Amino acid sequence: MTLAWFDAAAAQDFGKSLAKSFIDRLSPAEKASSKKFEGKAKEALAKMAQQIATFRSSSKLNFYKKAKLGNAFKWALREAGYDQAYTDELTEWLMLQLQ
């Protein structure tokens, strides 16, 4: 029973899939300050919020699993080429959605 507490594979996979869906909608090469980018980002975040709500209701997330999910999300974005400040901002948004 206690080993299940540390099994964060599903949370990590979900974090990676969230990052992939964001990357597919918004290329890291686009300017984060442009109006077009902001509109696309709001749209992407709204869809992600729905996915997060669904995942959160179907999965029991403890703080360890939340941390692993956030870390997988953050590093997938960093590896895709988003700058550190923007990935930190998105990861903070994600962590607030998980509460």
Side-chain angles (χ1 to χ4, degrees), residues 27-83:
S27 167
E30 293 183 56
K31 297 284 184 190
S33 60
S34 74
K35 292 283 184 189
K36 185 178 179 182
F37 183 88
E38 289 177 20
K40 284 179 158 182
K42 282 184 181 181
E43 212 174 279
L45 292 176
K47 289 187 189 253
M48 287 171 54
Q50 292 173 346
Q51 292 174 315
I52 293 165
T54 302
F55 183 77
R56 197 177 65 202
S57 68
S58 66
S59 301
K60 186 171 182 176
L61 295 173
N62 55 38
F63 73 89
Y64 178 75
K65 291 177 182 180
K66 288 179 185 178
K68 294 296 253 181
L69 190 157
N71 196 41
F73 176 78
K74 179 178 182 172
W75 283 104
L77 291 176
R78 292 283 292 142
E79 290 171 0
Y82 290 94
D83 71 346

